[in-house]
Amino acid sequence: MSVTIKDIAKKTGFSVATVSRVLSNKTGFFSQETANAVHKAAVELGYKKNMAATELVTQTSNVIAVIVNSTKTNFSNQIITGIQKKAAEMSKRVIILYAGDHDQVAQKIALTTALERPILGILLVSVDLYPKNLLLLKSAHIPFFFISISFKDTGLNYITSDDYQIGYTATKYLINHGHRKIGLAGLGIDPSDHTGNLRFNGYQQALTENNIAFQHDWLQIGDYSYESGLTAMKSYSQTNVTAVITASDLVGIGILNQCTKLGLNVPNDLSIITIDGTNLCQLVQPPLTSITQNFFQMGYLGTNYLIAGSKKNAYTNVQLCQRSSVKTYHFKNSI
Amino acid sequence: MSVTIKDIAKKTGFSVATVSRVLSNKTGFFSQETANAVHKAAVELGYKKNMAATELVTQTSNVIAVIVNSTKTNFSNQIITGIQKKAAEMSKRVIILYAGDHDQVAQKIALTTALERPILGILLVSVDLYPKNLLLLKSAHIPFFFISISFKDTGLNYITSDDYQIGYTATKYLINHGHRKIGLAGLGIDPSDHTGNLRFNGYQQALTENNIAFQHDWLQIGDYSYESGLTAMKSYSQTNVTAVITASDLVGIGILNQCTKLGLNVPNDLSIITIDGTNLCQLVQPPLTSITQNFFQMGYLGTNYLIAGSKKNAYTNVQLCQRSSVKTYHFKNSI
DNA sequence: ATACCTTACGCAAACGTTTACAATAGATTT
DNA sequence: AAATCTATTGTAAACGTTTGCGTAAGGTAT
């Protein structure tokens, strides 16, 4: 059928062993002449390696599987770019698997697609595995690493931003700009949303340090989606907040657009600082001030940790990008 | 090392042949009792199939490789969702490979990653292969199908929108709303951009039919990017156009934001109709009227055609979505 | 009773590689 | 001259699965 090393062996007169050694570049096992002859024959015959055979015998491969959510939010591209970069540097290949969106079955399919072949390791980009699927993953004894998600007390390793720090920094920034009534929108604080909890804790800490009493209607929970932003803003219009921290850029834009509908101006009537800092921030008017996560680096370093077999968690730095969605009050906007 | 059918065979007392037949469900070759015993043993041992072995012997697999560009534009997600849907229906798996952005090497890596293992077929999502890589693909004798891209006179099969129709429809729409000076921005008209050519032709046809003489500064070429939109608008501000058709949503938003910088109002000073109609259109203010492509269906049907081995090209329907970026002139906006 | 199916299973080859081990020839050392 | 080393190549086993072919037991038709 298709051309194999056996064909090359026949054509060149060498054994398949020699051909294999040349083709997989096991230096020191062949002469330059031999190598030339083999390579020449290979291109003439249009040889293409059959990785299935290689993976079968070596029980490893150079491909990293990346599992991503059918991305509501849009930062996965940056993470994947980082992954690709590092992978290319270490001459690894990467394949990407979509795990749907909170879809247990799709998640399992993606996982088994990865697991049922020899693979270097698995990178899980902001996917929260269902318990059953986590068991499946663990039982495979294949290295894995989570990116852009964190967990409490599980032994799982991840790289992400320091979400407590994010919550704290965003809040502090707003306070420094004279805000005292600050909302937090679009995330969850039940145990399943660890990220949400951390950000909320950082937010509360900053409030407390500045003697601001948290009011419960400042927190509008949600699922990081545009729609979360829209509905959150409806609630805020009944409150006295002057600024809100949004859990994702989409939430921020939801807030922004709901403001427009309500006849409110950003930043004059309401300030927004958003978490993520993807290019969406610069697409809307006004451009949104953001706590920008270093998604590229998450992917880059995460890949590195996966390959190195790191057993520790890591955090990437965030950066505050001032744009035009936060108003400065020179007097304290008191109670 | 990991558990194989041999282990199951040992445990159950059957031969590997029988175990294999049970596990791959070759009905008619085993009794129900046997099947139960085998399945029981399989879960007890934590058996996981080694696809490399299967693919090696069968020389096929149930995985479809999807190659995408490191997506400047953001419609790939919708296409991929469509692909996943159809694939799931036909119990195929899909893996996604990023081909970088106009990066010949990355493209080749993605291609060989797919090619060097048995695979059902390859879907190329809006990627324009370099000639060398196209040769590589063709020589592999693996089915492939292009999505969201079209070609002139090559024997390549694709599914996409009818780009001539898109150009025509958008132009006609603007004319019907009283516009006579209509720009087209963000695409190319050299031979390498076949999509751009088709849209331009449709645009010209609509102008001609309505006795409008095309002026060369109405066309601002570009590469479908946000930046293309920004620079195009700088040029338009020196012209008399009242409306522009943008080659992608990002181009549209670029135009929109440049208008803001220039102190121009959309749609009062300039109307925009954009091609693609992704969710970006609803994120900006004003929401952009669009020619919306059915990306989901492209993915869905494209997958179907790939599996069916279709040798024909196909076109999906587009839909005009009125939003708020086009102003209606009740008098003809004459020369 | 014979011939013929059917059902259920095992044997063994095959897929295309890699690699441990063995072998050869020539070069170098003693 | 013998011993040892080095460079190059070959032989064959192994990876885990699928599947054509063979076979044995039991059933059914004649």
Side-chain angles (χ1 to χ4, degrees):
Chain A
M1 197 60 176
S2 78
V3 16
T4 73
I5 54 171
K6 205 179 279 182
D7 299 311
I8 300 180
K10 201 165 290 169
K11 175 152 185 171
T12 57
F14 293 107
S15 70
V16 293
T18 300
V19 174
S20 169
R21 286 190 268 251
V22 170
L23 258 22
S24 49
N25 206 32
K26 296 260 175 300
T27 36
F29 283 97
F30 52 84
S31 68
Q32 193 53 49
E33 282 177 279
T34 310
N36 295 340
V38 168
H39 283 129
K40 183 156 170 285
V43 319
E44 280 176 17
L45 296 173
Y47 170 74
K48 222 153 287 138
K49 185 171 181 167
N50 184 333
M51 268 301 184
T54 306
E55 290 169 0
L56 180 57
V57 47
T58 63
Q59 298 284 37
T60 72
S61 89
N62 64 345
V63 356
I64 297 171
V66 179
I67 301 187
V68 300
N69 277 334
S70 173
T71 176
K72 274 246 170 72
T73 48
N74 64 323
F75 50 73
S76 346
N77 282 344
Q78 294 178 58
I79 296 179
I80 289 172
T81 305
I83 293 172
Q84 298 271 5
K85 181 85 187 304
K86 186 70 196 179
E89 284 175 17
M90 309 191 72
S91 53
K92 310 296 181 202
R93 305 284 171 91
V94 3
I95 66 178
I96 298 156
L97 280 0
Y98 270 54
D101 195 44
H102 294 98
D103 179 343
Q104 184 159 8
V105 179
Q107 200 175 78
K108 181 174 179 177
I109 289 178
L111 209 49
T112 41
T113 303
L115 256 29
E116 71 190 7
R117 67 201 72 229
I119 231 174
L120 197 62
I122 299 185
L123 252 18
L124 298 108
V125 175
S126 118
V127 348
D128 198 358
L129 287 180
Y130 288 86
K132 259 190 186 171
N133 292 335
L134 180 57
L135 243 52
L136 193 64
L137 174 58
K138 280 182 170 171
S139 73
H141 298 289
I142 287 179
F144 59 91
F145 211 87
F146 286 86
I147 298 182
S148 188
I149 190 169
S150 58
F151 306 96
K152 196 181 167 187
D153 297 337
T154 61
L156 305 174
N157 296 123
Y158 54 80
I159 180 169
T160 187
S161 301
D162 182 339
D163 284 296
Y164 180 91
Q165 191 65 38
I166 287 179
Y168 183 86
T169 308
T171 312
K172 200 69 192 299
Y173 176 83
L174 291 173
I175 294 172
N176 289 342
H177 284 68
H179 294 270
R180 304 283 297 175
K181 294 154 187 161
I182 298 169
L184 176 62
L187 44 72
I189 54 160
D190 59 303
S192 71
D193 187 350
H194 190 230
T195 296
N197 272 287
L198 291 173
R199 290 179 183 176
F200 181 57
N201 292 344
Y203 161 81
Q204 282 194 304
Q205 175 65 26
L207 292 183
T208 306
E209 285 180 9
N210 290 274
N211 302 313
I212 301 175
F214 168 69
Q215 292 177 231
H216 73 277
D217 58 3
W218 290 359
L219 173 68
Q220 295 294 331
I221 62 170
D223 61 355
Y224 302 84
S225 68
Y226 179 67
E227 289 73 21
S228 290
L230 292 176
T231 59
M233 189 58 218
K234 283 184 193 162
S235 306
Y236 282 130
S237 62
Q238 317 289 349
T239 70
N240 55 1
V241 301
T242 62
V244 5
I245 302 164
T246 61
S248 77
D249 292 340
L250 282 174
V251 173
I253 296 174
I255 297 267
L256 174 65
N257 285 348
Q258 192 66 264
C259 281
T260 309
K261 280 187 202 162
L262 296 169
L264 299 172
N265 177 272
V266 174
N268 289 328
D269 300 318
L270 185 83
S271 292
I272 296 177
I273 180 166
T274 181
I275 301 169
D276 277 356
T278 66
N279 62 348
L280 287 180
C281 291
Q282 299 157 71
L283 258 31
V284 296
Q285 297 296 337
L288 302 180
T289 293
S290 67
I291 305 281
T292 299
Q293 303 196 57
N294 199 334
F295 293 114
F296 177 90
Q297 195 170 40
M298 271 184 220
Y300 188 86
L301 291 179
T303 306
N304 199 32
Y305 292 143
L306 176 78
I307 296 174
S310 164
K311 292 278 167 256
K312 301 201 305 188
N313 301 327
Y315 298 91
T316 49
N317 291 326
V318 297
Q319 192 186 351
L320 205 150
C321 295
Q322 303 206 23
R323 299 198 184 85
S324 315
S325 62
V326 174
K327 177 175 178 178
T328 305
Y329 288 96
H330 292 294
F331 56 95
K332 296 276 175 169
N333 200 3
S334 64
I335 9 175
Chain B
M1 198 57 175
S2 78
V3 15
T4 74
I5 54 171
K6 205 178 278 181
D7 299 310
I8 299 181
K10 201 163 292 170
K11 175 152 183 170
T12 57
F14 292 108
S15 69
V16 292
T18 299
V19 174
S20 169
R21 286 192 265 249
V22 170
L23 259 22
S24 48
N25 206 30
K26 296 261 176 299
T27 36
F29 283 95
F30 52 83
S31 68
Q32 193 53 49
E33 282 177 280
T34 311
N36 294 341
V38 168
H39 282 128
K40 184 158 170 284
V43 319
E44 279 176 16
L45 296 172
Y47 171 74
K48 221 153 289 137
K49 185 171 181 168
N50 184 330
M51 269 301 185
T54 305
E55 289 169 0
L56 179 57
V57 46
T58 64
Q59 299 284 36
T60 73
S61 87
N62 64 344
V63 355
I64 296 171
V66 179
I67 300 185
V68 300
N69 277 333
S70 173
T71 173
K72 275 247 172 70
T73 49
N74 63 324
F75 50 73
S76 348
N77 283 343
Q78 295 178 58
I79 296 179
I80 290 172
T81 305
I83 294 172
Q84 298 271 5
K85 181 83 187 305
K86 187 70 195 179
E89 284 175 16
M90 310 191 72
S91 52
K92 310 296 181 202
R93 305 283 170 93
V94 3
I95 66 178
I96 299 156
L97 281 0
Y98 269 53
D101 194 46
H102 293 100
D103 179 343
Q104 184 160 7
V105 178
Q107 199 175 78
K108 182 173 179 180
I109 290 178
L111 208 51
T112 41
T113 303
L115 256 29
E116 72 191 6
R117 66 202 73 229
I119 231 174
L120 197 60
I122 299 185
L123 252 17
L124 298 109
V125 174
S126 129
V127 349
D128 199 359
L129 286 180
Y130 287 85
K132 260 192 186 171
N133 293 335
L134 180 58
L135 243 51
L136 193 64
L137 174 58
K138 279 181 170 171
S139 72
H141 299 288
I142 286 180
F144 59 91
F145 210 88
F146 287 85
I147 298 182
S148 188
I149 189 169
S150 59
F151 306 95
K152 197 180 166 186
D153 297 338
T154 62
L156 306 175
N157 296 122
Y158 54 81
I159 180 168
T160 187
S161 300
D162 182 339
D163 284 297
Y164 180 91
Q165 191 65 37
I166 287 178
Y168 183 87
T169 308
T171 313
K172 199 72 193 297
Y173 176 82
L174 292 172
I175 293 172
N176 289 342
H177 284 68
H179 294 270
R180 305 282 296 176
K181 294 154 188 162
I182 298 169
L184 176 63
L187 45 70
I189 56 161
D190 59 304
S192 69
D193 187 352
H194 190 229
T195 297
N197 272 286
L198 292 174
R199 291 179 182 176
F200 181 58
N201 291 344
Y203 160 81
Q204 283 194 304
Q205 176 65 25
L207 292 183
T208 307
E209 284 181 9
N210 290 275
N211 302 313
I212 302 175
F214 168 71
Q215 291 177 233
H216 73 278
D217 58 5
W218 291 357
L219 173 68
Q220 293 296 328
I221 62 169
D223 62 355
Y224 303 84
S225 67
Y226 179 67
E227 290 72 21
S228 291
L230 292 176
T231 58
M233 189 57 219
K234 284 185 192 159
S235 306
Y236 281 130
S237 62
Q238 318 287 351
T239 70
N240 56 0
V241 300
T242 61
V244 6
I245 302 164
T246 61
S248 76
D249 293 339
L250 282 173
V251 174
I253 296 174
I255 297 266
L256 174 65
N257 286 347
Q258 194 65 265
C259 280
T260 308
K261 282 187 201 161
L262 296 169
L264 299 172
N265 177 273
V266 173
N268 289 326
D269 300 319
L270 186 83
S271 291
I272 297 176
I273 181 168
T274 182
I275 300 169
D276 278 354
T278 65
N279 62 348
L280 287 180
C281 292
Q282 297 158 73
L283 259 30
V284 296
Q285 296 295 337
L288 301 181
T289 293
S290 67
I291 306 279
T292 299
Q293 303 196 56
N294 199 334
F295 292 113
F296 177 90
Q297 195 170 40
M298 271 184 219
Y300 188 86
L301 291 178
T303 307
N304 200 31
Y305 292 144
L306 175 77
I307 296 173
S310 166
K311 292 276 168 258
K312 300 201 307 190
N313 301 328
Y315 298 90
T316 49
N317 290 325
V318 297
Q319 192 186 352
L320 205 150
C321 293
Q322 303 205 24
R323 299 198 184 85
S324 315
S325 61
V326 174
K327 177 176 177 177
T328 304
Y329 289 95
H330 291 293
F331 56 95
K332 297 277 175 168
N333 201 3
S334 64
I335 9 177

